[in-house]
């Protein structure tokens, strides 16, 4: 599964997000929210917080 680099929305450190294929781009990343339906969930290696990502 390919990965994309993005910035953690909590601490700003570089974070990796798994994407379904090499052409997929990350549209937005946000901290966890119970009312949202993200495409995937990821965690920051630096701060350890979980965040959600949406594809474009």
């Amino acid at each position: 599964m390919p990965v994309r680099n993005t910035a953690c929305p909590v601490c700003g450190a570089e974070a990796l997000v798994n994407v379904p294929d090499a052409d997929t781009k990350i549209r937005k990343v946000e901290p966890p929210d119970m009312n949202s339906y993200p495409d995937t969930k990821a965690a920051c290696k630096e701060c350890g917080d979980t965040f959600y990502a949406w594809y474009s």
Side-chain angles (χ1 to χ4, degrees), residues 4-10 12-13 15-17 25-32 36 38 40-42 50-55:
R4 291 278 176 254
N5 291 344
T6 190
C8 172
V10 178
L16 299 175
V17 176
K25 303 216 184 313
I26 300 295
R27 180 170 46 94
K28 71 176 180 174
V29 295
E30 291 184 357
S36 55
T40 191
K41 184 169 113 176
T50 300
F51 63 91
Y52 294 143
W54 286 260
Y55 307 142

Side-chain angles (χ1 to χ4, degrees), residues 34-50:
M34 297 306 288
N35 296 325
S36 55
Y37 298 96
D39 293 319
T40 191
K41 184 169 113 176
C44 177
K45 287 184 181 179
E46 193 68 32
C47 69
D49 281 340
T50 300

